[in-house]
């Protein structure tokens, strides 16, 4: 299974501020009753968006200035909560191809990487600065360079990082593990044969 | 020898090191349910792959099942699609399904242990974050995403990095009215919801030694709420006694061999840990959450924190939490009006939870302003509770007695909060919108504290309400 080598992601950005944005916030559980992930995208942040609307304000994801953005910016511990892949799937299907945050919850990070959607870390000051650029010019293109470890927009460069193993997986086109795992099937059977409970 | 249980289980299940440096880890036991598996079976079909070890895969249906009208077709057609998809996928691949009519259906983290499928020294994965529950048996158990469910179905392995291990000791005797739930809420409060990132939590100390298997499960269940994907307790006689005679436990001569093997997995006395933290059981009081993550917790006698007094990095979340919870910083949590009381979930939906509460609510009545429901964690728990007369005690007190499932833990079935109702809940997550209403409010607490809230109509100290001494 040849996968695309993901070394760079370029697109417009949108900032959804907040720390500890959990998976239930990203996709409320009641929208997860599906037997495929198709159609999940439109419910991304559904409750936050409707609550913002009720307050007479516009949620960044409903703000036409940011329509079509493919890079999401947020705060710390993004994606905490559930291990359900519905959250990264919803974001991916909404159109996001990368996420920038101060930190990520572990399972969310792994699930996103497996989708080929890089999660990169920047400092909170830099995220705010980048959000400022996007706010003043929503058409500004943001480029995440995984190899260089930087994010650029409007002539500004910011340091960005992601763990080596995730970087390696993305840039070498091995972000979905199944190909590697399938290659090891003989070893799997051999290992299983050493464990009595696997025989049952 | 100076290995932790995690080291030993990891070694026994390592298939090989993958090109990117992660481990291809054999997953001995794969548990699946209706929410995260259908997409994985779909991916498998797309790739032309089959389930590699159907005999090591077990399914149940829990998240979407109604707890009152359980006849099929369900009135919610999406839920009906999900149970049918699971039934079909299991039948086609030869996977054992603890289906609704089986009498063995229930929440996946209750069914595994109850059937004796969850065993020491094994690896377990399930597409659900609270898979850490099974660590109570000295298993290494992970919550995984749907792509990994696909990986495990197709290869019985997954790619994963070995976590560090933090040993968390709790020593001493818990005061009356203080439970395992309070212990884990206290740990998460102290270490933070991110404190466990990159770690497995090994729980030990005299408090854990004295805990029953069910109490250990309650603690391990919420490891993930503290950021630790894995939480475990070393297996001991309590563990073996729980497992003996269960349907999937080893029998006869195999039993003795299994126990000997299981014992060998326990951490060595001189095992090296990446971190060690110790708490005193006596310092822990009944704990409740006041916010929108499980780390935002206080003792029942404390006041809700003033945002100005919380560390700066947590302040914005604290303010957001107070706004959502309609609480003011500085006010007592005690006395907050409660609309719904939910007793159930994979954290506290086991027989011992129901027994403990029934003991105290016998002869008491649910407050007129409160809707109180009991949702047994499995059909097995329900049947036992009914035969022991617990169900009757709950019903006499004014609780609704429901069928087994996840229910109001996450509101994917018809059991949902309405509007900004406040729910005293024995579950594990108080995220915004978690219980089915975007503005609904969740206060996490032990089962007995839920009962106290049900009886008084407000958040109360169960030790006072039930004169626990
Ligand atoms: S009871 Fe709640 S936490 Fe447990 S498996 Fe069900 S939804 Fe998840």
């Amino acid at each position: 299974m040849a996968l695309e080598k993901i070394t760079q992601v370029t697109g417009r950005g949108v900032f959804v501020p907040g720390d500890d944005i959990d998976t239930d916030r990203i996709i409320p559980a009641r929208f997860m009753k599906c037997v495929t992930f198709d159609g999940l995208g439109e419910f991304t942040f559904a409750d936050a968006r409707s609550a913002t609307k009720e307050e007479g304000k516009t949620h960044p994801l409903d703000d036409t200035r940011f329509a079509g953005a493919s890079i999401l910016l947020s705060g710390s511990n993004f994606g905490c909560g559930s291990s359900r892949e519905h959250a990264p799937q919803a974001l991916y299907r909404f159109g996001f191809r990368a996420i920038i945050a101060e930190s990520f919850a572990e399972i969310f990070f792994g699930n996103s990487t497996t989708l080929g959607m890089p999660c990169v870390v920047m400092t909170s000051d830099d995220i705010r600065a980048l959000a400022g650029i996007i706010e003043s010019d929503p058409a500004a293109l943001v480029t995440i360079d995984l190899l260089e470890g930087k994010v650029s927009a409007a002539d500004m460069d910011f340091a960005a990082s992601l763990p080596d193993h995730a970087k390696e997986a993305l840039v070498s086109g091995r972000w979905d593990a199944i190909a590697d795992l399938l290659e090891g099937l003989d070893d799997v059977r051999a290992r299983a044969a050493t464990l009595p409970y696997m025989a049952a | 020898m100076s290995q932790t249980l995690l080291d030993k289980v990891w070694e026994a299940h390592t298939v090989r090191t993958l090109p990117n440096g992660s481990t291809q880890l054999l997953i001995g036991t794969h548990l699946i349910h209706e929410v995260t598996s259908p997409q994985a079976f779909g991916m498998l079909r797309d790739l032309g792959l089959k389930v590699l070890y159907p005999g090591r895969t077990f399914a149940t249906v829990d998240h979407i099942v109604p707890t009152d009208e359980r006849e099929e077709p369900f009135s919610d057609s999406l839920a009906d699609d999900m149970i049918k998809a699971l039934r079909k996928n299991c039948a086609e691949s030869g996977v054992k399904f603890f289906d609704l009519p089986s009498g063995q259906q229930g929440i996946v983290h209750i069914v595994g242990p109850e059937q004796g499928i969850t065993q020491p020294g094994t690896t377990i994965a399930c597409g659900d974050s609270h898979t850490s529950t099974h660590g109570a048996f000295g298993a290494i158990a992970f919550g995984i995403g749907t792509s990994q469910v696909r990986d495990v179905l197709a290869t019985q392995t997954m790619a994963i990095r070995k976590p560090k291990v933090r040993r968390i000791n709790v020593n001493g005797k818990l005061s009356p009215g203080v439970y395992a739930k309070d212990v884990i809420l206290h740990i998460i409060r102290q270490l933070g919801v991110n404190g466990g990132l990159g770690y497995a939590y090994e729980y030990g100390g005299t408090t854990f030694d004295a805990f029953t298997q069910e109490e250990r499960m309650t603690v391990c269940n919420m490891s993930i709420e503290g950021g630790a994907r894995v939480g475990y307790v070393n297996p001991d006689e309590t563990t073996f006694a729980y497992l003996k005679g269960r349907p999937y436990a080893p029998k006869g001569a195999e039993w003795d061999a299994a126990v000997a093997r299981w014992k060998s997995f326990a951490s060595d006395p001189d095992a090296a840990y990446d971190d060690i933290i110790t708490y005193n059981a006596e310092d822990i009081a009944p704990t409740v959450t006041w916010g929108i993550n499980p780390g935002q917790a206080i003792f029942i006698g404390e006041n809700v924190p003033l945002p100005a007094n919380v560390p700066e990095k947590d302040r914005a979340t604290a303010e957001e939490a107070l706004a959502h919870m309609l609480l003011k910083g500085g006010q007592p949590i005690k006395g907050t009006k409660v609309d719904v009381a939910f007793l159930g979930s994979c954290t506290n939906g086991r027989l011992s939870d129901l027994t403990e509460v029934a003991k105290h609510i016998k002869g008491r009545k649910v407050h007129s302003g409160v809707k109180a429901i009991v949702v047994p964690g499995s059909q097995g728990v329900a049947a036992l509770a009914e035969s022991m007369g617990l169900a009757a005690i709950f019903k006499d007190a004014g609780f609704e007695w429901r069928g087994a499932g996840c229910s109001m833990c996450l509101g994917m079935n018809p059991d949902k909060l309405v509007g900004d109702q406040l729910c005293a809940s024995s579950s594990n997550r108080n995220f915004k919108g978690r219980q089915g209403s975007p503005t609904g409010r969740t206060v996490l607490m032990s089962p007995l504290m839920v009962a106290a809230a049900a009886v008084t109509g407000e958040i109360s100290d169960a030790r006072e309400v039930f004169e626990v001494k």
Side-chain angles (χ1 to χ4, degrees):
Chain A
M1 283 199 324
L3 299 171
E4 184 199 348
K5 294 184 166 64
I6 300 172
T7 55
Q8 263 198 1
V9 181
T10 298
R12 290 186 293 113
V14 58
F15 182 40
V16 177
D19 293 332
D20 304 312
I21 292 190
D22 57 66
T23 47
D24 283 8
R25 201 105 54 98
I26 297 168
I27 180 82
R30 64 183 182 285
F31 295 116
M32 301 197 316
K33 276 189 237 161
C34 53
V35 289
T36 81
F37 287 130
D38 308 340
L40 219 51
E42 61 178 298
F43 302 116
T44 308
F45 283 99
D47 289 345
R49 286 159 67 191
S50 59
T52 317
K53 202 171 191 175
E54 271 166 34
E55 289 169 17
K57 296 190 225 140
T58 309
H59 190 275
L61 296 194
D62 289 319
D63 191 330
T64 49
R65 293 180 301 151
F66 306 120
S70 60
I71 296 179
L72 176 67
L73 278 66
S74 193
S76 69
N77 197 27
F78 188 83
C80 60
S82 141
S83 61
R84 290 178 296 245
E85 219 160 303
H86 299 67
Q89 283 280 358
L91 292 167
Y92 190 88
R93 279 156 211 273
F94 188 85
F96 291 114
R97 291 297 174 266
I99 307 172
I100 298 174
E102 287 167 53
S103 61
F104 292 91
E106 197 179 334
I107 299 179
F108 178 88
F109 181 92
N111 287 339
S112 298
T113 307
T114 303
L115 281 180
M117 180 166 70
C119 292
V120 300
V121 168
M122 283 178 28
T123 65
S124 104
D125 288 348
D126 284 355
I127 289 176
R128 256 157 236 292
L130 182 57
I133 294 174
I134 296 167
E135 179 64 35
S136 58
D137 177 14
L141 283 184
V142 178
T143 295
I144 302 173
D145 190 321
L146 299 181
L147 290 169
E148 300 269 319
K150 68 173 190 192
V151 169
S152 357
D155 299 335
M156 295 266 289
D157 280 352
F158 303 97
S161 64
L162 80 166
D164 285 342
H165 63 87
K167 177 163 96 183
E168 186 50 36
L170 290 160
V171 303
S172 64
R174 311 188 88 110
W175 35 270
D176 186 331
I178 189 114
D180 285 339
L181 295 176
L182 285 167
E183 275 173 22
L185 283 193
D186 290 340
D187 295 342
V188 171
R189 291 197 183 87
R191 175 50 74 186
T194 68
L195 297 165
Y197 77 100
M198 292 288 297
Chain B
M1 281 219 316
S2 57
Q3 286 184 306
T4 61
L5 177 137
L6 181 102
D7 293 329
K8 297 181 198 182
V9 175
W10 203 270
E11 219 171 86
H13 292 78
T14 294
V15 172
R16 59 185 191 134
T17 304
L18 293 169
N20 70 2
S22 62
T23 306
Q24 179 165 11
L25 191 74
L26 184 72
I27 299 301
T29 303
H30 188 197
L31 307 172
I32 60 174
H33 61 84
E34 77 283 14
V35 180
T36 51
S37 71
Q39 306 86 352
F41 278 104
M43 295 175 189
L44 222 58
R45 277 190 282 270
D46 290 347
L47 295 168
L49 299 169
K50 286 200 157 33
V51 180
L52 190 65
Y53 282 85
R56 295 307 310 163
T57 311
F58 303 89
T60 183
V61 58
D62 48 11
H63 287 66
I64 56 92
V65 287
T67 56
D68 42 9
E69 283 155 27
R70 289 161 78 88
E71 292 74 38
E72 295 178 55
F74 301 147
S75 56
D76 175 348
S77 66
L78 293 171
D80 203 60
D81 287 349
M82 292 180 97
I83 190 170
K84 290 202 167 59
L86 183 60
R87 200 170 278 143
K88 178 166 163 283
N89 287 328
C90 289
E92 283 176 8
S93 350
V95 167
K96 170 76 189 171
F97 178 26
F98 299 105
D99 200 350
L100 270 186
S102 70
Q104 298 165 319
Q105 170 268 344
I107 306 172
V108 62
H109 310 310
I110 295 198
V111 170
E114 188 171 82
Q115 292 293 327
I117 293 167
T118 302
Q119 294 177 9
T122 62
T123 49
I124 300 178
C126 174
D128 188 280
S129 0
H130 297 94
T131 307
S132 54
T133 312
H134 306 267
F137 292 79
I140 296 301
F142 304 94
I144 57 178
T146 295
S147 299
Q148 288 174 314
V149 174
R150 172 205 64 184
D151 294 349
V152 179
L153 287 173
T155 71
Q156 203 66 24
T157 61
M158 59 193 241
I160 187 164
R161 269 155 214 283
K162 189 176 171 187
K164 294 183 283 187
V165 181
R166 172 178 290 145
R167 165 86 179 190
I168 300 179
N169 293 309
V170 184
N171 291 319
K173 203 170 157 2
L174 291 174
S175 315
V178 181
Y179 297 95
K181 181 65 160 285
D182 302 304
V183 171
I184 186 60
L185 284 172
H186 186 69
I187 292 171
I188 298 167
R189 174 188 182 182
Q190 296 299 323
L191 299 179
V193 290
N194 294 327
L197 287 184
Y199 280 98
Y201 282 173
E202 176 180 305
Y203 304 100
T206 57
T207 311
F208 279 93
D209 293 343
F211 269 167
T212 63
Q213 244 351 86
E214 300 204 343
E215 290 173 312
R216 295 174 186 179
M217 282 191 254
T218 298
V219 173
C220 290
N221 174 273
M222 288 188 70
S223 302
I224 187 68
E225 306 306 332
R229 203 168 164 189
V230 165
Y232 66 86
V233 176
N234 284 303
D236 61 8
E237 294 305 327
T238 306
T239 320
F240 311 143
Y242 177 97
L243 284 172
K244 189 152 197 184
R246 302 220 169 235
Y248 286 81
K251 307 259 163 1
E254 271 181 47
W255 169 259
D256 295 330
V259 169
R261 198 169 57 245
W262 291 343
K263 279 186 183 158
S264 73
F265 279 104
S267 293
D268 299 322
D270 58 346
Y273 296 95
D274 299 287
D275 192 25
I276 300 180
I277 294 180
T278 301
Y279 299 105
N280 286 323
E282 290 84 4
D283 297 340
I284 303 173
T287 300
V288 295
T289 57
W290 55 269
I292 52 173
N293 72 50
Q296 293 176 319
I298 50 178
F299 292 148
I300 182 66
E302 287 182 87
N303 292 342
V304 175
L306 286 162
N309 295 346
V310 305
E312 203 196 322
K313 64 173 181 42
D314 300 331
R315 203 164 297 156
T317 311
E319 273 162 5
E320 189 186 346
L322 292 177
H324 180 83
M325 294 302 292
L326 309 176
L327 291 170
K328 286 205 176 42
Q331 78 174 80
I333 190 82
K334 218 168 125 176
T336 306
K337 191 176 164 296
V338 165
D339 305 296
V340 178
F342 170 61
L343 182 51
S345 87
C346 59
T347 317
N348 283 123
R350 298 188 175 78
L351 190 65
S352 58
D353 299 310
L354 305 187
T355 316
E356 180 66 15
V357 174
K359 196 167 93 193
H360 293 282
I361 56 141
K362 195 167 185 182
R364 304 290 290 262
K365 285 280 180 240
V366 169
H367 190 271
S368 60
V370 177
K371 176 188 174 72
I373 67 172
V374 188
V375 182
S378 69
Q379 293 179 339
V381 170
L384 279 171
E386 282 159 20
S387 69
M388 289 163 65
L390 304 182
I393 295 175
F394 280 109
K395 285 191 249 183
D396 285 347
F399 280 84
E400 294 174 32
W401 180 259
R402 299 292 190 85
C406 295
S407 178
M408 212 182 262
C409 177
L410 91 168
M412 263 182 104
N413 78 340
D415 308 331
K416 298 182 203 311
L417 295 184
V418 181
D420 64 6
Q421 277 183 330
L422 187 139
C423 179
S425 182
S426 70
S427 56
N428 47 42
R429 284 202 166 143
N430 51 344
F431 300 156
K432 282 182 177 178
R434 171 72 177 182
Q435 294 189 288
S437 162
T439 50
R441 297 170 291 156
T442 304
V443 178
L444 303 176
M445 56 186 81
S446 73
L448 195 64
M449 290 284 283
V450 170
V455 166
T456 59
E458 52 188 48
I459 294 177
S460 307
D461 189 335
R463 296 170 302 186
E464 295 163 5
V465 176
F466 300 114
E467 295 173 28
V468 179
K469 283 190 208 80

